């Protein structure tokens, strides 16, 4: 089975399981849009803030070496696109996919990110972020350690 979202595709074989995003929030309702029909999240930048985000709480056990992957519409650069991973309820330092992940620009405004998680623990929350500029990033097909996140 394959899914197509705004010109991007995802094979169900890529994810071992799927969970629906729950207990989610946004930094600014006017700058974040969740589209459950297309299973995408668009986060707009805002120069009056340090950036905007869409966040959800999770409970996904991970082992160092597991991966995080997602597709995006937007550009690579300046801390965007980026997914922040919170470990163990914030008791230990989190990880940013942009810090050492591979952002691959597929065409002028689409791409994919693959990030290798560096430590073991439980991902208790994640945030999709667009830093402080007037652009935007649309996220789709988020998979954390084999678990597909449905928005």
């Amino acid at each position: 089975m394959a899914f197509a979202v705004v010109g991007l595709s995802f094979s169900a074989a890529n994810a071992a399981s799927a969970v629906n995003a729950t207990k989610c929030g946004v930094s600014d309702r006017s700058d974040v849009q969740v589209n459950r029909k297309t299973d995408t999240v668009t986060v707009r930048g805002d120069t009056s803030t340090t950036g905007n985000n869409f966040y959800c709480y999770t409970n996904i056990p991970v082992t160092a070496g597991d991966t995080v992957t997602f597709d995006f519409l937007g550009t690579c650069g300046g801390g965007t696109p980026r997914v922040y991973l919170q470990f163990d309820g914030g008791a230990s330092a989190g990880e940013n996919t942009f810090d050492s992940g591979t952002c691959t620009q597929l065409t002028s405004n689409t791409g994919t990110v693959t990030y290798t998680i560096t430590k073991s623990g439980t991902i208790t929350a994640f945030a999709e972020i667009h830093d402080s500029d007037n652009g935007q990033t649309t996220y789709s097909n988020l998979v954390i350690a084999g678990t597909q996140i449905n928005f």
Side-chain angles (χ1 to χ4, degrees), residues 7 33 46 64 127 148:
Q33 295 178 332
D46 184 342
Q148 178 185 351

Side-chain angles (χ1 to χ4, degrees), residues 14 75 79 103:
N14 292 36
T75 59
C103 184

Side-chain angles (χ1 to χ4, degrees), residues 16-79:
S17 62
V19 297
N20 292 326
T22 59
K23 299 179 185 172
C24 299
V26 299
S27 57
D28 183 338
R29 289 197 182 278
S30 64
D31 287 327
V32 178
Q33 295 178 332
V34 178
N35 187 329
R36 296 192 193 288
K37 187 174 182 178
T38 61
D39 203 28
T40 60
V41 175
T42 300
V43 183
R44 283 195 271 297
D46 184 342
T47 56
S48 66
T49 69
T50 57
N52 288 308
N53 67 76
F54 169 77
Y55 62 88
C56 297
Y57 294 95
T58 61
N59 189 25
I60 302 172
V62 298
T63 303
D66 286 345
T67 60
V68 175
T69 60
F70 59 89
D71 295 327
F72 67 93
L73 296 174
T75 59
C76 294

Side-chain angles (χ1 to χ4, degrees), residues 10 13-17 60-70 83 85 87 95-97 100-102 112-120 123 141-149:
F10 172 75
N14 292 36
S17 62
I60 302 172
V62 298
T63 303
D66 286 345
T67 60
V68 175
T69 60
F70 59 89
V83 173
L85 306 171
F87 279 82
E95 295 184 21
N96 275 300
T97 60
S100 62
T102 302
T112 188
V113 169
T114 301
Y115 174 77
T116 302
I117 297 170
T118 63
K119 61 185 177 184
S120 299
I123 303 296
N141 303 326
L142 175 62
V143 178
I144 300 172
T147 301
Q148 178 185 351
I149 308 298

